[in-house]
Amino acid sequence: MPIQISDTAILAIETFYENVAKKYRHTYDYSLMRKNIDEILGRMPKIENGLSRLTPSIKRWEGRGFMARTNGSKQWFFLYTIDGDTVYVLDACHAQNMKDPVDEAVSKVLRAHLFSHRMCITEGKRRKMVSRFTESDLRGMVMEAISNIINEEYKPIGSGIKFKSESGTEHTSIVTLEDDDSGQRCHIINDDHCYVLYNDSDDKVGTNCKPVHYIFPEAVKALQSLPLP
């Protein structure tokens, strides 16, 4: 069936991967971002031609048409309608944003932040809950909320994974992290009693890997779990 993709759907996909690029600006390059965007756009023709027709499961899509979900690790949902023999894709949403409405997710993060930092919530004269905190506290809460809601996490996928550096030297990782959605990997090796990190730098996984000079949060957590080299 012919397919028409709305600007809204394209913008949703581009915005998602732009946010990934902002967070991992030193390790997630433009070519990989474009590859991910083009890959998701390339899956849309499978709507009504391999992807099952579903009922929309988020409120903003209810009653607006049908929903389809991609297969594999890169989980995207599409809202679409059918007019004649043409599929019209109205919107797109990554799987991690389909779990809870954003306002509920923000509420959970802010409440957790208040609790963990022992910030006081008092009851006002009109029996309304009032939270007292400084501008710095508010900034910290907002940053934590953003980090938790739009975070695109790297996860450990194992050890003993072989890869080659830019010079062609082969290494074996003691821990390898992978971004579930982009597929980009970060390898940690032990070299002369020091930990060294390498990142995949192109579309060929495990080749032409470059040393990492900017240590992102997930890599720090992985290093903290390792013994002294």
Side-chain angles (χ1 to χ4, degrees):
M1 299 177 71
I3 186 167
Q4 294 287 332
I5 305 172
S6 71
D7 291 341
T8 299
I10 294 173
L11 181 62
I13 296 169
E14 291 180 339
T15 300
F16 178 86
Y17 287 111
E18 284 171 0
N19 285 333
V20 175
K22 288 177 183 177
K23 180 181 178 183
Y24 299 109
R25 59 186 181 277
H26 301 298
T27 57
Y28 185 81
D29 61 21
Y30 178 81
S31 63
L32 186 54
M33 181 180 74
R34 285 307 323 171
K35 176 191 173 185
N36 292 153
I37 292 171
D38 292 341
E39 183 179 0
I40 301 306
L41 292 175
R43 294 187 183 187
M44 289 187 186
K46 293 186 178 296
I47 295 174
E48 295 288 315
N49 183 32
L51 299 181
S52 300
R53 181 188 295 186
L54 306 172
T55 300
S57 58
I58 53 178
K59 290 182 179 179
R60 71 176 186 272
W61 287 1
E62 288 180 0
R64 296 180 57 195
F66 308 110
M67 184 176 76
R69 178 181 62 193
T70 62
N71 300 317
S73 61
K74 295 180 177 62
Q75 290 277 305
W76 276 86
F77 291 77
F78 307 124
L79 172 69
Y80 68 96
T81 59
I82 302 174
D83 187 0
D85 64 348
T86 302
V87 171
Y88 293 88
V89 181
L90 307 179
D91 201 358
C93 185
H94 188 270
Q96 72 179 35
N97 297 324
M98 295 287 288
K99 297 176 182 177
D100 293 311
V102 172
D103 55 347
E104 292 182 16
V106 170
S107 177
K108 289 179 182 179
V109 171
L110 295 185
R111 287 182 178 276
H113 183 96
L114 289 170
F115 179 80
S116 64
H117 290 78
R118 299 181 181 275
M119 292 181 177
C120 181
I121 301 180
T122 60
E123 189 172 320
K125 294 180 180 179
R126 296 184 179 180
R127 304 187 66 80
K128 291 183 178 180
M129 299 304 287
V130 179
S131 178
R132 301 183 182 280
F133 43 81
T134 67
E135 181 180 347
S136 177
D137 294 332
L138 179 59
R139 185 178 295 110
M141 292 167 64
V142 171
M143 292 302 294
E144 185 170 333
I146 293 173
S147 176
N148 279 274
I149 294 169
I150 67 170
N151 209 9
E152 181 70 5
E153 299 265 342
Y154 278 74
K155 296 180 177 63
I157 61 169
S159 60
I161 296 176
K162 297 185 182 299
F163 67 95
K164 291 184 178 180
S165 64
E166 291 179 294
S167 64
T169 303
E170 185 173 86
H171 300 281
T172 302
S173 72
I174 54 174
V175 175
T176 292
L177 307 171
E178 184 177 74
D179 186 303
D180 281 342
D181 199 79
S182 70
Q184 189 173 25
R185 292 181 176 183
C186 175
H187 309 278
I188 301 176
I189 68 169
N190 188 327
D191 185 4
D192 194 22
H193 302 291
C194 294
Y195 288 129
V196 183
L197 280 66
Y198 286 87
N199 240 51
D200 287 348
S201 58
D202 53 28
D203 294 345
K204 297 180 180 179
V205 176
T207 62
N208 198 34
C209 297
K210 297 181 180 180
V212 175
H213 301 293
Y214 298 89
I215 312 300
F216 49 92
E218 295 88 340
V220 172
K221 291 179 182 178
L223 288 168
Q224 289 174 333
S225 70
L226 296 173
L228 292 176

